Amino acid sequence: MDRVPPLVAGIELGGTKIVCILARGPDDIQDRVQIPTTRPDEALAAVEAVLDGWGGFEALGIASFGPISIDRHAADYGHVTSTPKPHWAGTDVAGRLSARYQVPTGFHTDVVGAALAEARWGAAKGLPDIAYVTVGTGIGVGLIAGGKPVDGLTHSEFGHIRPQRMPGDDWMGICPFHGSCLEGLAAGPAIGARAGCKGEDIPADHPVWEPVAHVLGQLCHTLVLTGVPRRIVMGGGVMVGNDHLFPRVRDAMVQSLAGYIALPEIAEPAFIVPPALGGNAGPLGAIVLGEQALAERMGASAVAGAFTTP
């Protein structure tokens, strides 16, 4: 007899909105509440009001915009660190919430959360090793290997790699830290600044998409060279609704690799794909983070059956 999965509260902390979700998985979402990401005290108090109303959850998962501290031995573990988002640098998110609710609490980046969810239930279901890329207000990457986030000194920040540019393309970019890094060249605000109009108003044949696809191809080139992803899922506001970008990015990646990685699957349409979970990828990723924290607390063998999808 299959065990009932645990009831988990998940929080996707985004740059403009926070999504709180109470769920056992995508087929058992009991509530979903959206809150604007205002100043930290106001926003976190609103999150607490939602979670206080729910109660009864066995674990808590938090998938946050970054940079964040994920080193559990660090004094600032659970904090948002050097973010350019006003007022949020140095905010203790995981510590505040875990102390209030006294349940196992998972904490990681929003892109790692989305990667976990897409690998569990979505566009990369059944694959243990994937990359999830978000291209929206910023650019971020979550890498999953063996079903777990790829971590070390800190989480990855692929959005701030400086790519090789197209010949003749010397646009300065808009990243306040690096200028013409990936985020400064191909995130939503950068595309809008370069095109001179809102991203949703840019047609598929606009010349701005060529350098955007080129640098996103450079990102995928880099991800392939890590040796991790069996599939790259690309979401976020820039990719969603712009299906024309997927073949352009794939072609740019293949051209950039220049035959060095000779695996035929990386040139197939199934290697770079859109997400399947839509706007629930991040919140459901927070659910997975909560489950993993609960498993660590109880011992993986004791709860493995509860997390097995029939």
Side-chain angles (χ1 to χ4, degrees), residues 143-305:
L143 279 175
I144 304 298
K148 297 285 187 179
V150 178
D151 295 333
L153 176 66
T154 184
H155 55 79
S156 66
E157 284 286 355
F158 283 94
H160 293 271
I161 290 173
R162 289 186 170 97
Q164 183 182 46
R165 307 289 296 278
M166 289 180 61
D169 180 16
D170 57 0
W171 190 63
M172 294 178 61
I174 65 168
C175 175
F177 293 94
H178 311 116
S180 58
C181 63
L182 289 165
E183 188 167 292
L185 293 169
I191 297 170
R194 189 165 188 172
C197 60
K198 293 181 179 179
E200 56 266 30
D201 297 330
I202 304 174
D205 60 354
H206 194 286
V208 75
W209 294 119
E210 186 177 7
V212 168
H214 176 81
V215 297
L216 292 177
Q218 294 285 305
L219 170 58
C220 293
H221 169 139
T222 302
L223 293 174
V224 169
L225 293 182
T226 68
V228 172
R230 300 175 187 273
R231 183 166 296 160
I232 299 174
V233 182
M234 298 189 75
V238 170
M239 302 303 298
V240 174
N242 286 314
D243 292 345
H244 64 90
L245 276 176
F246 286 89
R248 291 180 176 186
V249 170
R250 184 176 63 251
D251 290 348
M253 174 196 69
V254 171
Q255 182 177 357
S256 180
L257 286 167
Y260 181 69
I261 303 296
L263 299 171
E265 55 265 38
I266 67 171
E268 296 295 323
F271 186 71
I272 300 176
V273 300
L277 298 174
N280 276 337
L284 286 170
I287 298 299
V288 180
L289 289 169
E291 286 186 352
Q292 291 183 345
L294 181 62
E296 291 175 10
R297 174 77 62 88
M298 298 177 64
S301 62
V303 294

Side-chain angles (χ1 to χ4, degrees), residues 25-215:
D27 298 325
D28 189 359
I29 297 174
Q30 300 191 7
D31 200 5
R32 186 182 192 276
V33 179
Q34 186 168 305
I35 299 165
T37 308
T38 53
R39 296 175 74 101
D41 284 344
E42 180 183 5
L44 293 176
V47 168
E48 290 168 346
V50 173
L51 269 58
D52 289 351
W54 288 342
F57 47 87
E58 299 176 57
L60 172 65
I62 305 164
S64 175
F65 67 85
I68 58 176
S69 175
I70 60 169
D71 181 355
R72 297 185 186 184
H73 303 292
D76 64 350
Y77 169 72
H79 289 60
V80 177
T81 58
S82 58
T83 179
K85 184 169 179 60
H87 313 298
W88 279 85
T91 299
D92 183 4
V93 176
R96 171 173 170 163
L97 295 177
S98 63
R100 184 179 182 92
Y101 298 104
Q102 295 294 305
V103 295
T105 301
F107 180 68
H108 219 297
T109 64
D110 48 0
V111 283
V112 161
L116 287 167
E118 289 290 340
R120 175 87 171 272
W121 297 297
K125 183 178 180 179
L127 295 177
D129 317 303
I130 75 157
Y132 182 92
V133 178
T134 184
V135 186
T137 304
I139 293 179
V141 176
L143 279 175
I144 304 298
K148 297 285 187 179
V150 178
D151 295 333
L153 176 66
T154 184
H155 55 79
S156 66
E157 284 286 355
F158 283 94
H160 293 271
I161 290 173
R162 289 186 170 97
Q164 183 182 46
R165 307 289 296 278
M166 289 180 61
D169 180 16
D170 57 0
W171 190 63
M172 294 178 61
I174 65 168
C175 175
F177 293 94
H178 311 116
S180 58
C181 63
L182 289 165
E183 188 167 292
L185 293 169
I191 297 170
R194 189 165 188 172
C197 60
K198 293 181 179 179
E200 56 266 30
D201 297 330
I202 304 174
D205 60 354
H206 194 286
V208 75
W209 294 119
E210 186 177 7
V212 168
H214 176 81
V215 297

